[in-house]
Amino acid sequence: MLKINLAAIALAAVSSMPVFAAETMTMAKCDDASMMKMQAQVDGMKDPMMKEKKEMASKEMVMAHDSMKAKKMDDCKMHMDNAMKSMGKM
């Protein structure tokens, strides 16, 4: 009985991983709403220990915004992904 329960828990954990990965991948859209949401997250980093991460994420967000204006969506997504990585979201 215990083995069956453990197997069911393991199966549930493994099957939910792609959902979390897919959610993370869809977060980095290059549109105004996503940019504002991400910028709010960057601005919300108040911990002094996170200063370097916040600066890096802010730089990536500026580059993402510039890329979006230039209609370079692949570059914009890359910079937004980099900003998320800088913040530790990915």
Side-chain angles (χ1 to χ4, degrees):
M1 184 73 167
L2 180 62
K3 288 181 183 180
I4 293 172
N5 287 339
L6 290 176
I9 291 170
L11 182 63
V14 170
S15 65
S16 65
M17 281 185 205
V19 173
F20 293 128
E23 182 179 316
T24 302
M25 294 305 288
T26 59
M27 273 182 64
K29 291 181 183 174
C30 211
D31 58 12
D32 288 328
S34 296
M35 295 282 268
M36 287 174 46
K37 181 180 177 183
M38 179 96 58
Q39 190 62 50
Q41 291 175 347
V42 171
D43 293 341
M45 297 173 73
K46 302 289 186 198
D47 187 6
M49 300 294 287
M50 303 287 279
K51 183 179 179 183
E52 287 182 30
K53 289 183 178 187
K54 181 177 181 177
E55 289 174 358
M56 187 61 164
S58 294
K59 288 177 186 177
E60 290 291 342
M61 288 303 298
V62 168
M63 289 187 280
H65 194 271
D66 292 343
S67 296
M68 186 174 78
K69 282 185 180 178
K71 302 205 184 318
K72 296 180 179 178
M73 295 304 167
D74 289 337
D75 288 347
C76 179
K77 288 179 184 180
M78 177 192 66
H79 289 301
M80 288 187 70
D81 285 342
N82 289 342
M84 280 194 290
K85 288 176 186 174
S86 296
M87 293 174 12
K89 300 282 182 182
M90 288 180 84

